[in-house]
């Protein structure tokens, strides 16, 4: 039986808070803004870091507020939902935005703002949302549709839905948002493929009582096996009592039972037993009825057809089918 799961730990969106805090500091310190802003002329003279750090510079408080509001929501949801690669996404989209502006906007001297990275974060969150079910999937599909309409409008008109409202002139750069979308799509495709590969269950055929048994275990179980100091022995118990029940027990050794060896880390054996009593008092005292192993010729012809093992929240779990 699996032990009760521990309480879910609170996930702190570290990267979201860190990047947001840096953006606020950069805005509050004029010297930092001048040192980090995207400046095409200075980039041409070798200050390449401005391609990335320009994303942290904002031209007005309203400009900063718009970007931080969206970034805090999207980034926090990505980290709380433990989606992979958020730090990589922020860096890759920041580089992509700077490179696209430099290559495709040759007339633009200055650029700043998190909006390209924000767009990447929202798209990335929603692409993962499409892999789920229910209302969240539909919400993510709707948000992606709105983003496509927004970017299409911006590219066609050269205007933004939002105005920074600052003293400095604010010129929208739709290509920066398109670069964010491209970064999110590429990283999602890579991480999704990697996740599916790593989560693919291992599968091996073994023999029990002269019959083939398909044994599979998840990627989580494989990692848990690799971290064990000793091999794991799995007992597949077929229990004949008032009702026929199936149990999977995880042992340090097999005792005197013959095992089917799966690999150096995993073995299993099949153990049919029957209760020797049917007493409520005995069951309450022992947790189950007393038992004895069945060793008849008929039972020796029985074997599981399929076994599946997993490791969830610090506990081994398993099931088998006859």
């Amino acid at each position: 039986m699996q032990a009760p799961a521990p309480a879910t730990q609170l996930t702190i969106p570290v990267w979201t808070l860190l990047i947001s805090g840096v953006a606020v500091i950069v805005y509050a310190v004029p010297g930092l803004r001048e040192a980090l802003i995207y400046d095409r002329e200075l980039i041409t003279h070798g200050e390449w870091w401005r391609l990335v750090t320009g994303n942290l510079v904002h031209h007005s408080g309203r400009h900063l507020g718009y970007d931080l509001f969206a970034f805090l929501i999207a980034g926090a949801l990505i980290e709380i939902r433990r989606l992979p690669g958020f730090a990589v996404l922020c860096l890759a989209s920041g580089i992509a935005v700077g490179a696209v502006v430099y290559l495709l906007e040759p007339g633009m001297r200055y650029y700043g703002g998190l909006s390209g990275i924000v767009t990447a974060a929202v798209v990335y969150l929603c692409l993962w949302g499409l892999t789920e079910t229910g209302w969240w999937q539909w919400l993510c599909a709707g948000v992606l549709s709105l983003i496509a309409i927004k970017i299409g409008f911006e590219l066609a008109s050269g205007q933004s839905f939002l105005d920074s409202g600052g003293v400095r002139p604010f010129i929208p750069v739709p290509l920066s948002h398109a670069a964010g979308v491209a970064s999110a799509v590429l990283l999602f495709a890579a991480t999704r493929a990697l996740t599916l590969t790593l989560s693919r269950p291992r599968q091996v055929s073994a023999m029990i009582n002269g019959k083939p048994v398909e044994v599979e275990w998840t990627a989580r179980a494989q990692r848990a096996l690799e971290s064990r100091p000793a091999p794991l022995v799995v007992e597949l118990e077929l229990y004949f009592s008032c009702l026929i029940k199936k149990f999977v027990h995880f042992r340090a050794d097999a005792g005197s039972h013959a095992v089917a060896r799966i690999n150096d880390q995993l073995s299993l054996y099949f153990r049919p037993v029957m209760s020797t009593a049917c007493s409520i008092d005995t069951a309450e005292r022992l947790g189950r009825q007393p038992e004895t192993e069945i060793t008849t010729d008929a039972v020796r012809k029985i074997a599981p057809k399929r076994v599946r093992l997993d490791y969830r929240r610090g506990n081994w779990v398993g099931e088998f089918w006859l």
Side-chain angles (χ1 to χ4, degrees):
M1 180 179 295
Q2 184 179 357
T8 302
Q9 295 182 344
L10 177 65
T11 300
I12 299 175
V14 176
W15 286 107
T16 303
L17 295 176
L18 178 61
I19 294 171
S20 299
V22 171
V24 171
I25 292 172
V26 170
Y27 178 74
V29 181
L32 285 178
R33 278 185 279 172
E34 299 303 325
L36 300 179
I37 192 171
Y38 172 101
D39 184 327
R40 185 178 186 86
E41 182 175 333
L42 294 178
I43 291 172
T44 303
H45 286 85
E47 297 186 11
W48 293 99
W49 66 85
R50 295 176 181 271
L51 289 170
V52 179
T53 59
N55 293 280
L56 298 170
V57 179
H58 292 82
H59 302 309
S60 70
R62 185 177 297 184
H63 184 202
L64 175 66
Y66 284 150
D67 282 351
L68 283 189
F69 177 76
F71 183 72
L72 284 168
I73 293 175
L77 285 174
I78 289 173
E79 294 195 75
I80 290 172
R81 299 174 76 86
R82 299 184 180 181
L83 301 180
F86 180 55
V88 175
L89 174 69
C90 292
L91 179 59
S93 58
I95 294 173
V97 168
V100 165
V101 172
Y102 187 81
L103 294 173
L104 302 182
E105 294 283 358
M108 180 166 289
R109 170 73 185 271
Y110 299 105
Y111 172 81
L114 274 172
S115 60
I117 296 177
V118 170
T119 302
V122 175
V123 171
Y124 190 68
L125 173 67
C126 291
L127 287 172
W128 278 105
L130 294 181
T131 67
E132 302 183 24
T133 57
W135 67 270
W136 178 248
Q137 181 187 51
W138 288 105
L139 177 61
C140 288
V143 171
L144 287 174
S145 299
L146 291 176
I147 290 176
I149 294 171
K150 174 181 178 294
I151 293 179
F153 170 81
E154 291 175 341
L155 289 172
S157 65
Q159 298 178 357
S160 173
F161 284 117
L162 301 177
D163 182 359
S164 71
V167 176
R168 284 176 148 182
F170 175 76
I171 302 174
V173 186
L175 284 174
S176 68
H177 302 159
V181 171
S183 301
V185 171
L186 290 174
L187 185 63
F188 169 75
T191 53
R192 177 65 171 164
L194 181 60
T195 300
L196 290 175
T197 299
L198 293 177
S199 63
R200 187 176 300 150
R202 279 66 170 169
Q203 192 167 28
V204 173
S205 181
M207 297 295 291
I208 293 180
N209 289 342
K211 296 183 178 181
V213 182
E214 293 299 320
V215 183
E216 68 177 48
W217 60 100
T218 64
R220 289 188 298 264
Q222 178 62 34
R223 290 191 291 271
L225 285 173
E226 293 171 352
S227 66
R228 285 179 59 86
L232 178 69
V233 178
V234 181
E235 176 187 307
L236 309 173
E237 181 188 54
L238 184 61
Y239 183 68
F240 294 89
S241 183
C242 307
L243 297 172
I244 299 176
K245 300 179 181 179
K246 297 180 292 182
F247 297 97
V248 179
H249 305 288
F250 299 90
R251 313 292 191 191
D253 60 72
S256 60
H257 298 91
V259 299
R261 183 175 175 276
I262 305 303
N263 55 37
D264 292 340
Q265 302 159 319
L266 179 65
S267 299
L268 54 85
Y269 64 92
F270 182 53
R271 182 173 176 259
V273 300
M274 66 179 296
S275 62
T276 58
C278 191
S279 165
I280 295 177
D281 293 338
T282 302
E284 289 179 347
R285 188 174 72 255
L286 300 178
R288 58 187 290 170
Q289 302 293 347
E291 68 200 36
T292 184
E293 293 193 24
I294 307 173
T295 58
T296 64
D297 291 339
V299 169
R300 290 194 187 98
K301 297 178 181 179
I302 302 175
K305 293 182 179 178
R306 179 173 167 236
V307 180
R308 191 175 192 278
L309 307 175
D310 198 359
Y311 189 78
R312 298 186 218 130
R313 298 182 179 180
N315 295 283
W316 286 98
V317 293
E319 56 185 332
F320 67 93
W321 293 263
L322 296 171

